[in-house]
């Protein structure tokens, strides 16, 4: 009686506009799916062109090349005898849609446009696409001639429809439709659709994976069914890392799980399942025609079966417990995979990092080391693509990486740039960490360059600025700090461009930045200093999480040098030492702790708080530690710093997106960069509230 089917979903490391590479990876995934007997293969969202094409979606070339790739797929013998479900943009009646195209044996079965678009966070789908908002409506789509020549079809169904095989029914969701309160799988399930598919381009954020898994489980807990989730993987050309997690669930249980972080470009996850389990579950739990009226799905019939008569001998997959990564593991793996994609696709020979001996630059160094660990492990596991890529990066076709430290020495250069304000402690900590990760390390002094720069200024103006400690004004003090920081940036780029040349090696190096999300939020960095780099793997991560990450690295990678780094107070070391000791600390400069900044950052972005509403929340959150007057001072100080320095976010280094409260000005956190920094109306509202509290209106507190 059983109807056992083998289904395949996948995670692909697609690259925006890399049509050759994307085609090759799609074909490999189909080949892998067929090799285990799968009759249906699901791929990620917009996999033919890559999800991150952005304004290239406006170009007719993008649509043209997608159809050219689709023709190659239709013609390939690899795609025969398996239903292939691929993603691409399609223009219908002069309107652009984000679509799924299902085909079998050189025939397009249907085109299903996305109905609920993602337009939040980093997603801007309404900019390029329109939603298909005609529920249960299907139209004819006239195929381009190049496709007609292959399929022999003039038109195919286009719209809100499902695919009915001889033994089951398959319905599509696309990415955000799963997250929406009106998810299509609900009505599809009530109308008898047994297999739901979701093609996603879902990007990584810390602590997000469980939400995704719970949504998939919930989708089939309510009304039964099989749920297949496919996702993009890797860096496809911008700040996001798509974190895989392909999975298959049935009746509320996960039965197959793909990796979240991996250097494998093509990962196929398969599951053998019994359709009778869905029918039995629904027979007890679901009575759709009793519950409410709903319009039936438009079914496109195909003379094809996902099961066969030998299914009785096929064992079915059993429920598994999803293995989640800790946040520290996520920081170790996600940015490391992103860096590897960026390095191998940029054509550069490695990375250069200004290593100060503090928490932030040390975190960046540890992420590069983690990348080298992943590369060596992938090569040991037989990943020929990773081996080919690393040989190209180091310009040695005979090289096979074995030891992460040795690989670090080839692709990673660190540089400690001391000034007269630097301490021996930070110099030693940078040196010790570089030795333990294996980077090629340099130590140099920038004082001669600083004095030369100030000498030019003095020659023109006749004045020589002084630090506050030596009687100078606040303006002088800040300018003297900035000139040190900016000279470090110039030297970093100089060595990145010419260090390989000086060593007689080809290529250049990518400069890595190391400003964390909290510093970006307040602008606690010099514009065009070492925070200005090519890319920044920690720019979306909080200081609190980075400290936990370093503790993890100290244990996981036996990097004992991190213990002294974690014990030292965070400092920029741009002001004069006091008796040879650091006198300047980050938290003192900022006027608040990093843990306070993390709370404020989440309220500003996630909870959408302005100054007044933030104050109203924090008087309760911090009531055990701070009075309303002190809370008011913290809130006003933060918004003053934030608004004065917001302009810095317009030039900040592209960073790995990891936090939902990140201040990235590119497309995630869209705000002005010229504020009225007095916030007169808002701050007056706070002051009025404080006055009421102090007057005895405790019930307001």
């Amino acid at each position: 009686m059983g109807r056992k089917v083998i289904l395949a979903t996948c995670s692909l490391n697609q690259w925006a506009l890399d049509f050759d590479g994307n085609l090759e990876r799609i074909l490999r995934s189909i080949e892998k799916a067929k090799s285990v007997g799968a009759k249906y293969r699901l791929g990620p969202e917009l996999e033919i062109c890559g999800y991150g094409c952005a304004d290239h979606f406006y170009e007719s070339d993008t649509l043209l090349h997608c159809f050219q790739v689709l023709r190659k797929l239709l013609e390939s013998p690899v795609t025969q005898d398996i239903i292939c479900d691929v993603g691409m943009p399609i223009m219908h009646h002069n309107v652009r849609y984000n679509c799924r195209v299902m085909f079998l044996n050189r025939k397009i079965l249907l085109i299903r446009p996305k109905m609920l678009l993602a337009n939040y966070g980093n997603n801007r789908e309404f900019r390029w696409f329109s939603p298909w908002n005609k529920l249960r409506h299907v139209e004819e789509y006239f195929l381009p001639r190049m496709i007609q020549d292959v399929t022999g079809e003039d038109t195919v169904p286009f719209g809100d429809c499902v695919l009915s095989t001889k033994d089951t029914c398959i319905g599509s969701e696309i990415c955000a439709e799963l997250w929406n309160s009106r998810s299509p799988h609900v009505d599809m399930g009530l109308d008898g659709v047994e297999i739901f598919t979701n093609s996603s381009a879902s990007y990584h954020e810390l602590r997000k994976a469980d939400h995704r898994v719970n949504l998939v489980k919930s989708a089939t807990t309510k009304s039964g069914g099989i749920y297949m989730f496919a996702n993009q993987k890797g860096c496809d050309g911008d700040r996001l890392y798509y974190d895989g997690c392909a999975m298959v669930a049935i009746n509320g249980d996960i039965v197959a799980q793909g990796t979240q972080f991996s250097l494998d470009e093509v990962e196929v996850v398969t599951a053998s399942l019994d359709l009778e389990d869905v029918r039995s579950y629904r027979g007890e739990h679901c009575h759709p025609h009793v519950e409410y009226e709903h319009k039936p799905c438009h079914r496109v019939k195909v003379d094809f079966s996902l099961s066969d008569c030998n299914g009785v001998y096929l064992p079915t997959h059993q429920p598994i417990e999803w293995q989640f990564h800790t946040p520290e593991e996520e920081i170790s793996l996600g940015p490391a995979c992103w860096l590897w994609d960026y390095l191998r696709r940029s054509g550069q020979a490695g990375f250069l990092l200004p290593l100060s001996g503090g928490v932030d630059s040390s975190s960046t160094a540890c992420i590069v080391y983690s990348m080298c660990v992943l590369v060596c492990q992938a090569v040991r596991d037989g990943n020929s693509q990773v081996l080919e890529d690393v040989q190209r990066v180091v310009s040695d076709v005979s090289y096979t990486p074995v030891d992460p430290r040795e690989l670090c020495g080839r692709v990673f250069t660190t540089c400690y740039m001391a000034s007269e304000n630097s301490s021996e402690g930070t110099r030693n900590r940078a040196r010790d960490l570089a030795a333990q990760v294996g980077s090629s390390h340099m130590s140099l002094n920038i004082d001669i360059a600083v004095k030369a720069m100030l000498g030019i200024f003095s020659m023109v103006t006749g004045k020589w600025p002084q630090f506050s400690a030596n009687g100078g004004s606040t303006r002088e003090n800040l300018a003297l700090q900035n000139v040190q920081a900016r000279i470090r940036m110039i030297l970093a780029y100089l060595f990145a461009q010419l260090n390989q040349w000086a060593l007689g090696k080809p290529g250049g190096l990518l400069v890595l930045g190391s400003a964390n999300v909290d510093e970006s939020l307040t602008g606690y960095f010099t514009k065009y200093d070492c925070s200005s780099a090519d890319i920044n793997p920690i720019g979306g991560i909080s200081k609190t999480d980075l400290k936990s990450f370093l503790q993890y690295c100290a244990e996981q990678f036996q990097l004992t040098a991190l213990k002294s780094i974690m014990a030292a107070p965070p400092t920029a070391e741009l002001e004069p030492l006091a008796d040879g000791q650091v006198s300047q600390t980050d938290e003192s400069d900022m006027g608040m702790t990093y843990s306070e900044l993390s709370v404020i950052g989440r309220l500003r972005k996630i909870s959408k708080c302005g100054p007044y509403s933030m104050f109203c929340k924090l008087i309760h959150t911090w009531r055990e530690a701070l009075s309303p007057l002190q809370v008011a001072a913290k809130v006003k100080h933060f918004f003053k710093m934030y608004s004065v320095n917001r302009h810095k976010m317009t030039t900040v280094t592209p960073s790995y997106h990891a936090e939902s409260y990140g201040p990235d000005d590119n497309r995630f956190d869209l705000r002005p960069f010229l504020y009225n920094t007095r916030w007169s109306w808002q701050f007056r509202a706070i002051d009025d509230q404080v006055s009421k509290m102090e007057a005895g209106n405790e019930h307001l507190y």
Side-chain angles (χ1 to χ4, degrees):
M1 184 72 183
R3 298 284 187 182
K4 295 181 181 177
V5 296
I6 301 177
L7 305 171
T9 183
C10 61
S11 296
L12 302 183
N13 194 330
Q14 303 298 72
W15 189 7
L17 303 177
D18 177 25
F19 293 100
D20 284 312
N22 293 348
L23 170 61
E24 186 267 337
R25 286 181 284 271
I26 292 170
L27 287 172
R28 279 169 56 197
S29 70
I30 297 170
E31 200 167 29
K32 285 188 174 186
K34 287 179 67 177
S35 70
V36 295
K39 294 295 182 68
Y40 175 87
R41 175 268 182 199
L42 175 70
E45 185 175 13
L46 295 168
E47 61 189 300
I48 287 181
C49 56
Y51 183 80
C53 294
D55 281 0
H56 289 289
F57 284 124
Y58 289 136
E59 300 167 3
S60 60
D61 281 10
T62 303
L63 300 174
L64 168 66
H65 299 327
C66 283
F67 273 113
Q68 290 169 336
V69 170
L70 179 61
R71 175 173 175 143
K72 292 282 188 184
L73 289 169
L74 288 164
E75 292 175 330
S76 173
V78 172
T79 63
Q80 301 305 297
D81 302 320
I82 181 172
I83 295 175
C84 298
D85 188 337
V86 299
M88 59 182 280
I90 291 177
M91 186 169 279
H92 176 56
H93 293 170
N94 294 329
V95 178
R96 193 181 302 100
Y97 296 99
N98 175 348
C99 296
R100 302 304 301 173
V101 179
M102 293 191 196
F103 63 89
L104 169 69
N105 294 338
R106 299 168 71 96
K107 299 287 185 183
I108 293 177
L109 305 175
L110 62 86
I111 299 174
R112 200 283 204 175
K114 192 170 185 176
M115 302 173 69
L116 302 168
L117 301 183
N119 212 52
Y120 45 81
N122 283 291
N123 302 113
R124 293 288 179 273
E125 291 182 9
F126 273 102
R127 181 176 174 89
W128 309 297
F129 301 109
S130 294
W132 181 261
N133 49 25
K134 303 173 184 177
L135 189 68
R136 300 291 184 265
H137 180 71
V138 177
E139 298 177 356
E140 282 189 318
Y141 176 75
F142 286 83
L143 293 170
R145 279 175 293 181
M146 74 172 84
I147 303 299
Q148 292 180 23
D149 291 343
V150 177
T151 66
E153 303 164 300
D154 294 328
T155 63
V156 293
F158 184 103
D160 181 17
C161 51
V162 298
L163 186 66
S164 184
T165 66
K166 293 171 72 174
D167 50 0
T168 189
C169 190
I170 305 166
S172 296
E173 287 188 326
I174 305 176
C175 198
E177 293 175 347
L178 170 63
W179 306 72
N180 196 280
S181 57
R182 297 184 293 115
S183 293
H185 70 259
V186 176
D187 285 336
M188 288 194 294
L190 293 172
D191 195 46
V193 174
E194 295 178 327
I195 300 173
F196 310 114
T197 67
N198 187 296
S199 312
S200 274
S202 181
Y203 55 84
H204 174 237
E205 280 184 353
L206 293 175
R207 305 172 179 89
K208 175 183 171 182
D210 63 324
H211 189 27
R212 186 189 293 148
V213 173
N214 290 337
L215 282 170
V216 169
K217 292 169 68 174
S218 172
T220 58
T221 299
K222 291 177 288 188
S223 58
I226 295 167
Y227 204 101
M228 302 171 64
F229 179 86
N231 196 17
Q232 193 161 306
K233 178 196 289 187
C235 166
D236 82 335
D238 63 9
R239 295 158 171 79
L240 307 179
Y241 177 79
Y242 301 94
D243 58 336
C245 292
M247 67 186 96
V248 182
I250 181 171
N251 299 339
D253 292 318
I254 302 294
V255 294
Q257 170 188 355
T259 58
Q260 186 176 12
F261 307 107
S262 164
L263 301 188
D264 292 334
E265 288 196 323
V266 176
E267 181 184 24
V268 176
V269 175
T270 59
S272 55
L273 300 167
D274 194 336
L275 295 173
E276 291 300 323
D277 291 338
V278 174
R279 294 157 189 166
S280 297
Y281 187 95
R282 287 181 173 174
E284 179 179 359
H285 292 83
C286 304
H287 306 283
H289 300 295
V290 175
E291 293 174 18
Y292 68 96
E293 290 294 324
H294 65 282
K295 191 174 180 180
C297 301
H298 179 97
R299 280 167 160 75
V300 176
K301 297 177 183 177
V302 57
D303 185 16
F304 187 77
S305 296
L306 300 188
S307 59
D308 60 43
C309 56
N310 296 320
V312 67
Y313 303 107
L314 185 68
T316 56
H317 279 63
Q318 299 303 305
I320 61 173
E321 282 295 319
W322 189 279
Q323 301 301 311
F324 292 104
H325 290 289
T326 64
E328 294 77 19
E329 289 172 335
E330 290 185 81
I331 296 171
S332 174
L333 297 170
C337 292
W338 183 75
L339 282 182
W340 176 244
D341 277 348
Y342 202 102
L343 176 60
R344 68 193 181 96
R345 287 173 169 170
S346 69
Q348 298 302 299
F351 299 113
L352 182 138
L353 171 69
L355 183 61
S356 69
V359 166
D360 294 332
S361 61
S362 298
S363 296
T364 297
C366 289
I367 289 170
V368 176
Y369 182 76
S370 177
M371 180 200 81
C372 292
V373 170
L374 291 174
V375 169
C376 290
Q377 184 60 54
V379 171
R380 280 196 296 273
D381 293 341
N383 190 318
S384 58
Q385 183 63 58
V386 171
L387 179 59
E388 179 185 325
D389 287 335
V390 75
Q391 288 173 344
R392 187 176 62 254
V393 168
V394 302
S395 300
D396 184 352
V397 294
S398 65
Y399 175 64
T400 300
V402 176
D403 176 26
R405 292 184 70 255
E406 188 274 336
L407 177 57
C408 255
R410 288 176 177 255
V411 301
F412 189 31
T413 298
T414 51
C415 183
Y416 180 80
M417 304 185 199
S419 75
E420 61 185 8
N421 303 316
S422 302
S423 66
E424 279 301 310
T426 54
R427 182 196 302 271
N428 294 338
R429 289 192 284 272
R431 180 199 62 211
D432 293 346
L433 179 60
Q436 290 186 5
V437 300
S439 66
S440 175
H441 187 63
M442 299 180 285
S443 184
L444 55 88
N445 192 291
I446 67 170
D447 286 337
I448 187 172
V450 173
K451 286 181 171 59
M453 191 72 72
L454 293 175
I456 294 171
F457 176 81
S458 179
M459 185 170 58
V460 173
T461 65
K463 293 183 177 293
W464 194 281
Q466 299 293 327
F467 284 105
S468 296
N470 299 327
S473 66
T474 301
R475 277 194 291 176
E476 293 171 74
N477 196 66
L478 187 58
L480 288 173
Q481 293 182 66
N482 287 345
V483 73
Q484 297 171 74
R486 287 173 176 145
I487 282 172
R488 286 182 172 129
M489 181 206 72
I490 293 169
L491 286 170
Y493 273 99
L494 179 64
F495 277 93
Q497 286 185 299
L498 293 180
N499 194 60
Q500 295 292 96
W501 167 78
L503 296 172
K505 297 179 180 179
L509 304 177
L510 292 164
V511 179
L512 295 180
S514 53
N516 64 63
V517 70
D518 300 319
E519 290 171 347
S520 296
L521 190 59
T522 58
Y524 183 66
F525 61 90
T526 299
K527 199 173 186 179
Y528 305 118
D529 69 347
C530 282
S531 65
S532 296
D534 292 311
I535 50 174
N536 179 1
I538 68 163
I541 306 173
S542 72
K543 191 82 161 191
T544 304
D545 280 339
L546 289 176
K547 289 179 178 178
S548 299
F549 165 63
L550 289 187
Q551 181 65 47
Y552 164 82
C553 290
E555 299 168 4
Q556 179 72 13
F557 301 134
Q558 289 81 51
L559 300 176
T560 56
L562 293 173
K563 294 180 179 178
S564 61
I565 291 169
M566 289 184 287
T571 174
E573 286 197 335
L574 293 171
E575 295 187 23
L577 302 175
D579 299 323
Q581 300 300 312
V582 172
S583 60
Q584 178 187 27
T585 64
D586 293 354
E587 292 184 338
S588 175
D589 281 356
M590 290 188 297
M592 58 186 66
T593 66
Y594 279 108
S595 59
E596 289 171 341
L597 264 178
S598 185
V599 173
I600 285 173
R602 285 178 166 82
L603 288 175
R604 182 198 71 97
K605 176 66 177 175
I606 301 173
S607 300
K608 315 295 187 293
C609 286
Y612 179 70
S613 55
M614 184 181 293
F615 165 78
C616 291
K617 288 180 183 294
L618 287 177
I619 55 174
H620 300 287
T621 304
W622 289 347
R623 66 179 302 167
E624 300 299 325
L626 300 173
S627 70
L629 189 61
Q630 290 171 318
V631 172
K634 292 270 188 188
V635 170
K636 288 193 279 188
H637 178 63
F638 165 75
F639 274 97
K640 176 77 172 178
M641 280 201 304
Y642 160 76
S643 56
V644 165
N645 291 313
R646 179 66 191 187
H647 66 94
K648 296 179 181 179
M649 293 310 301
T650 63
T651 61
V652 76
T653 296
S655 301
Y656 179 97
H657 176 85
E659 267 294 359
S660 53
Y661 72 92
D664 171 34
D665 188 66
N666 174 257
R667 71 181 187 201
F668 183 68
D669 189 44
L670 306 181
R671 316 267 175 149
F673 57 86
L674 176 63
Y675 281 91
N676 181 340
T677 59
R678 292 185 294 275
W679 299 87
S680 55
W681 189 284
Q682 297 91 329
F683 287 1
R684 192 162 58 246
I686 293 174
D687 292 339
D688 290 345
Q689 194 66 54
V690 171
S691 298
K692 291 177 183 177
M693 291 176 178
E694 291 181 338
N697 295 323
E698 287 85 0
H699 67 279
L700 294 172
Y701 181 44

